[in-house]
Amino acid sequence: MQTKLSVSVLSADLANLAAQSRAALDAGADMLHIDVMDGHFVPNISYGAPVLSCLHKALPDAFYDVHLMIENPAFYAKDFAAAGADLITVHLEAEGVRKNPRAVLRTIRKLGCRTGLSIRPGTPVEELFDYLDEVDLVLIMSVEPGFGGQSFLPQTPERLAAVRAELDRRGLSVMLQVDGGVNTDTAPLCTRAGADVLVVGSALYKAPDMSAMAAGIHAL
């Protein structure tokens, strides 16, 4: 299966968000990755459902891969689903998730969205395994969530490989995504370890030829 590219629009020029998102899609991106931060779960604040709604109106045919780095995603999931989210990923460590992850994931699915579950670099990947039957996507963070432009953590391929092995063992068709510090050097490490959706932000927007970079990722 072709490796998919989900472009993190947090790295775009937000004054020209629709145009830069369109440029990424035209270059070959498969999804728009929307990083939502609340200043509590992570030490940064980004944007909320109104921004997604405006972007969806400008680009209604895009696939919106929404990554909620917030403490209470179930409370806000309805707003993001209504704004145009196609897939909503939540963090296992978030206060509003860890007590009952299945309930949160099922709430998202009832809203008509695909579901994703993510973990920070310090969380053992085995903590995901009980919930693999509830998700469409697993997101392994290869940096500490909260800011773009960080360096890729070297333990990431081993973590990806462990999740891929468990998915294969159970015969589950779940996308395995990686986010953080993904570029032309680290992308092959991720795909060789089993990732099939790469989140790329600053590396894509700073690339001399976005189309060539996107084609390179698809070919991995």
Side-chain angles (χ1 to χ4, degrees):
M1 184 172 66
Q2 185 185 68
T3 302
K4 293 187 181 298
L5 168 60
S6 188
V7 61
S8 176
V9 300
L10 188 65
S11 297
D13 175 3
L14 298 183
N16 299 287
L17 181 56
Q20 293 223 328
S21 298
R22 178 77 268 167
L25 293 169
D26 289 346
D30 303 285
M31 311 175 187
L32 297 179
H33 188 83
I34 311 297
D35 288 303
V36 179
M37 297 177 266
D38 64 358
H40 296 281
F41 181 69
V42 293
N44 197 5
I45 296 173
S46 57
Y47 34 59
V51 172
L52 174 59
S53 180
C54 290
L55 188 58
H56 186 266
K57 288 176 184 175
L59 302 171
D61 297 329
F63 185 97
Y64 290 93
D65 168 24
V66 177
H67 179 194
L68 297 184
M69 291 174 274
I70 63 178
E71 289 287 13
N72 192 4
F75 182 80
Y76 294 99
K78 184 177 180 180
D79 292 338
F80 284 98
D86 293 290
L87 185 152
I88 296 177
T89 296
V90 300
H91 270 264
L92 185 60
E93 307 94 345
E95 183 177 347
V97 177
R98 61 182 180 232
K99 293 179 182 177
N100 195 342
R102 288 186 186 277
V104 175
L105 293 167
R106 289 173 182 175
T107 294
I108 293 169
R109 196 174 295 283
K110 286 178 183 176
L111 293 168
C113 295
R114 299 185 195 182
T115 60
L117 191 60
S118 182
I119 53 171
R120 306 174 94 137
T123 301
V125 296
E126 291 78 12
E127 293 190 17
L128 291 164
F129 289 1
D130 283 346
Y131 312 106
L132 294 179
D133 59 334
E134 294 279 359
V135 299
D136 299 290
L137 177 144
V138 170
L139 168 53
I140 300 299
M141 293 299 301
S142 44
V143 299
E144 278 297 331
F147 296 92
Q150 297 182 64
S151 296
F152 183 86
L153 293 171
Q155 66 267 34
T156 304
E158 181 180 356
R159 288 164 60 78
L160 289 166
V163 177
R164 174 54 64 195
E166 181 65 12
L167 291 171
D168 290 347
R169 186 185 72 80
R170 293 167 60 177
L172 296 173
S173 296
V174 173
M175 293 179 283
L176 181 54
Q177 186 179 74
V178 59
D179 181 4
V182 179
N183 55 37
T184 53
D185 294 324
T186 58
L189 303 176
C190 297
T191 57
R192 284 199 294 267
D196 50 20
V197 184
L198 307 186
V199 178
V200 184
S202 55
L204 184 72
Y205 280 110
K206 292 177 181 178
D209 187 334
M210 290 173 63
S211 296
M213 184 174 184
I217 287 174
H218 287 145
L220 292 173

